[in-house]
Amino acid sequence: MALKLEELWIINKNGLPYLSAKSKDIGEGINPMIFSGFMSAVQNLAEDSIDAIKMRNSKIMIIPVKKPIPFFVIGRSKTKEKDSAIRKQLQKIRDMFLEEFSIIIEKWEGDLTFFTYFKNQLEEQFF
């Protein structure tokens, strides 16, 4: 894929990040715990009506998921990238996450290392 995400977060409705990944080109990136709490609050206040946040040099796209449990797939890319292309990538990531974890995510007990292999898979494919 020609489009490369700069950062990716998959967070639950309460703001806990299941995983975060970033391009090696961007350095430190955004703190995933602070960002996921912020995004969860924004989404809850906006009642899931925000699907993008655009800034000067980058934009954040949000894909909400309602079932089997509510969570968000959020990606950051450069502003020049097409919204439809970003949304398509995030939907693919959502589908991959659901395929891998939909049955067991409801019983997940909070161990973030549980998602490490999936994060590595995403980094290879999308970054």
Side-chain angles (χ1 to χ4, degrees), residues 7-126:
E7 292 187 83
L8 169 75
W9 303 269
I10 300 177
I11 64 172
N12 73 12
K13 185 178 181 187
N14 298 321
L16 182 64
Y18 293 130
L19 65 88
S20 64
K22 65 181 179 62
S23 168
K24 294 173 181 82
D25 300 334
I26 65 165
E28 191 171 320
I30 299 171
N31 180 303
M33 292 300 280
I34 293 171
F35 180 78
S36 33
F38 169 75
M39 288 306 300
S40 175
V42 167
Q43 283 297 102
N44 286 329
L45 287 171
E47 299 177 1
D48 296 337
S49 64
I50 295 176
D51 65 352
I53 299 172
K54 297 187 182 191
M55 297 165 279
R56 182 176 305 172
N57 296 322
S58 63
K59 59 184 160 187
I60 296 171
M61 303 291 295
I62 306 158
I63 303 292
V65 178
K66 301 284 186 201
K67 294 183 180 184
I69 60 166
F71 68 94
F72 304 100
V73 179
I74 303 169
R76 184 171 72 87
S77 67
K78 296 194 182 300
T79 52
K80 67 181 179 180
E81 302 290 355
K82 292 184 179 182
D83 288 1
S84 60
I86 298 166
R87 192 167 279 108
K88 189 174 183 178
Q89 267 195 340
L90 294 176
Q91 289 168 340
K92 181 173 181 169
I93 292 167
R94 173 203 60 202
D95 294 345
M96 291 169 63
F97 186 82
L98 285 171
E99 183 177 321
E100 192 71 28
F101 299 110
S102 65
I103 294 172
I104 54 178
I105 196 73
E106 293 178 28
K107 297 175 185 160
W108 178 65
E109 296 180 358
D111 180 8
L112 296 177
T113 61
F114 184 73
F115 301 103
T116 301
Y117 77 92
F118 188 72
K119 174 186 173 180
N120 294 339
Q121 181 182 356
L122 291 175
E123 286 175 340
E124 287 177 21
Q125 188 170 351
F126 294 98

